Amino acid sequence: MRIFKQLPNSMLSDEESVKELSEKSSARILLISDSHGGKNVLFDIIEQHGKSADAVCFCGDGMPDLLGVIEDFHNIEGYDALIPKSVVFVQGNGDYANYQLVTSERLSITVPQQIEFTVAGKKVMMTHGHRYNVYIGTKELKAEAEKIGAEIVFYGHTHIANAQKKTNSTTKGKLTMLNPGSCSVPRGGLPHTFAIVTIKKDSEQAEYEYFEIKWDRNGDIEFTPFEPPTNEINLLW
């Protein structure tokens, strides 16, 4: 059974898997955010889509949910196939900086405010978003991405799904900025959502699919395609 460890870059993974993720010609990322206590829905998303993903990225506000899901999966037969080889996360404004992950051993987890990592040759920046005032737009977030040379940005905090394709002001290269929305408590009249992102080494911009989370009258969950807003979001207008 695979045993996660936290690497110096804060990812839950192992050196070989991180290297493999960075060098793949094409990689699938399961992108989720803002579960806010909705561990069950987070469990269902990862259970269905984790097996086909190279990494799961959680943009904060629900770290106990994410770690709880990993602990629950650890007791399920076929655990290795359910959880992607790399788990990436950042601290939301409602999260603590330190947690414990208890599987076959107890692991102290440090949750970073921001993380940069490489997927299929592309630099990815991930942060919750509150430090960049994303309630009033992505201008500050974009400036930080350009400063560090990121080509893809993952963030949350607004609870509103959003997908923007921009141009780097300095290099004129492509920049993809994705917010998966909230899987548990969406805002703006939007549904519960998450995203699957495909990053290809030979493609300038990331590709993405968003999914709406629905429950039928029996409480069974299903995921249906969803088109996210692509305009700039300002919650304080």
Side-chain angles (χ1 to χ4, degrees), residues 1-12:
M1 179 176 288
R2 171 162 31 101
I3 303 298
F4 278 118
K5 63 179 179 178
Q6 189 165 30
L7 301 178
N9 69 352
S10 296
M11 293 170 65
L12 280 183

Side-chain angles (χ1 to χ4, degrees), residues 22-123:
S22 70
E23 296 177 348
K24 289 179 74 74
S25 59
S26 178
R28 283 169 59 89
I29 306 297
L30 179 56
L31 181 63
I32 318 171
S33 191
D34 292 278
S35 57
H36 285 278
K39 190 183 86 167
N40 289 343
V41 66
L42 192 61
F43 183 101
D44 288 337
I45 293 169
I46 297 176
E47 181 183 40
Q48 181 158 329
H49 293 282
K51 60 180 70 71
S52 63
D54 297 292
V56 57
C57 290
F58 185 74
C59 298
D61 272 358
M63 278 302 302
D65 303 326
L66 177 65
L67 298 176
V69 167
I70 294 174
E71 291 174 354
D72 288 349
F73 277 157
H74 190 266
N75 298 315
I76 297 175
E77 185 176 355
Y79 160 79
D80 285 358
L82 292 174
I83 294 283
K85 293 181 179 180
S86 295
V87 180
V88 194
F89 46 81
V90 290
Q91 183 183 352
N93 57 297
D95 292 324
Y96 294 117
N98 297 281
Y99 290 93
Q100 296 287 317
L101 176 64
V102 182
T103 53
S104 55
E105 58 184 33
R106 183 179 295 271
L107 181 65
S108 294
I109 300 294
T110 300
V111 189
Q113 292 275 357
Q114 182 169 307
I115 187 170
E116 294 92 44
F117 56 105
T118 303
V119 179
K122 301 287 193 298
K123 186 171 185 176

Side-chain angles (χ1 to χ4, degrees), residues 15 47 68 73 81 103 122 152 157 178 182 187 204 214:
E15 290 84 354
E47 181 183 40
F73 277 157
T103 53
K122 301 287 193 298
I152 300 163
H157 189 52
L178 303 175
S182 172
R187 296 180 181 138
E204 277 195 299
K214 296 181 178 180

